[in-house]
Amino acid sequence: MARVLPRPRSPLAAVLRWYEEELGWPTTGTEPVELLTGRRFDVLEMPAGAGSAVLRRLPHTGPVALVRAGCDGNHLGDRPKLLMLIAAGGAEELPGILEWLEWGALVPDLTARGTGDRVPAPAFPTGAAPSYGFGSREAARWVRPPRPGYEAENSLPTTGFGAGNGDDRGVPDLVRLVSAAATECHRARLMRAGNTQSDRAYSDQPLAFSNASRMSAGTRPRSLTL
């Protein structure tokens, strides 16, 4: 009698098992796999260049993913973007934090996803699971991967009592993270503006919102004092 071999696990099953069982994170359960925000975590979203600068300033944050250009085309169009996991509820706090830091609408590239949103499920970290070329895993990858068996919400940037003390690696509180992210997003935006011919055509005040000019006007962002 011919030996009956077990059917191989599908790539979808492997992805769902790692995220839902190993990490306990809810997913869409469909192909391509996406992670649901607003339950175990929210996401702070920014251009990849600004995000890289934030990571250099803050060596410990929490899980961070990179989404390729042209993928998951929501807030940042065709540019690559960095997704930083923050504590659930942080997305709702972002506008208020930006106002308190006196950034207001100066950093439109800094956004957040919370309840009712979703993000691409990044590729497994090396050695975490079989390598499958599957779904949105090709659209995103982990820069700072999560740790299976570790409670994500205990290690994510948040506000309130005990913020910044979620684990032994010194994860920053959400206000300090937003402060760094807003500064780097604004700096990157000014650099892009300074490199375009259209902006040079109106160069009477090329850096109208630069830190120096805002300090002169008495509107230096509170974030730069943190």
Side-chain angles (χ1 to χ4, degrees):
M1 178 180 293
R3 181 182 179 185
V4 178
L5 298 177
R7 297 180 60 184
R9 292 178 59 87
S10 69
L12 176 60
V15 173
L16 295 180
R17 180 182 179 281
W18 196 74
Y19 280 109
E20 294 183 350
E21 298 182 20
E22 295 291 331
L23 295 178
W25 293 357
T27 72
T28 56
T30 59
E31 184 180 351
V33 179
E34 294 178 298
L35 306 176
L36 301 178
T37 57
R39 301 186 185 182
R40 294 290 300 277
F41 58 84
D42 286 353
V43 164
L44 198 63
E45 180 177 348
M46 67 201 73
S52 296
V54 174
L55 295 184
R56 289 193 295 271
R57 293 176 58 178
L58 302 174
H60 307 297
T61 54
V64 178
L66 177 69
V67 179
R68 290 193 299 110
C71 298
D72 186 44
N74 280 353
H75 307 142
L76 300 179
D78 293 330
R79 285 179 286 152
K81 53 195 173 185
L82 214 67
L83 307 179
M84 294 188 176
L85 270 62
I86 59 177
E92 296 180 5
E93 296 185 70
L94 178 61
I97 293 175
L98 288 174
E99 286 295 331
W100 185 80
L101 293 172
E102 299 176 5
W103 280 110
L106 288 176
V107 283
D109 288 343
L110 180 59
T111 58
R113 305 194 200 188
T115 303
D117 252 327
R118 59 191 65 186
V119 295
F124 297 124
T126 303
S131 176
Y132 293 112
F134 174 73
S136 63
R137 296 195 316 107
E138 299 176 349
R141 66 177 178 83
W142 287 111
V143 177
R144 292 179 177 173
R147 293 183 285 168
Y150 192 80
E151 292 296 327
E153 51 265 45
N154 291 335
S155 63
L156 297 180
T158 186
T159 57
F161 180 76
N165 299 315
D167 70 2
D168 57 1
R169 298 179 302 161
V171 172
D173 63 87
L174 183 58
V175 174
R176 189 167 296 277
L177 176 60
V178 170
S179 170
T183 300
E184 297 302 338
C185 285
H186 185 61
R187 178 178 289 117
R189 190 175 182 82
L190 289 175
M191 291 180 65
R192 289 196 303 271
N195 290 331
T196 61
Q197 184 65 39
S198 59
D199 288 324
R200 285 197 295 270
Y202 302 95
S203 58
D204 55 330
Q205 285 186 318
L207 297 180
F209 294 111
S210 67
N211 294 334
S213 63
R214 295 182 68 188
M215 287 173 65
S216 299
T219 57
R220 186 175 192 253
R222 187 192 301 266
S223 62
L224 298 180
T225 67
L226 294 178

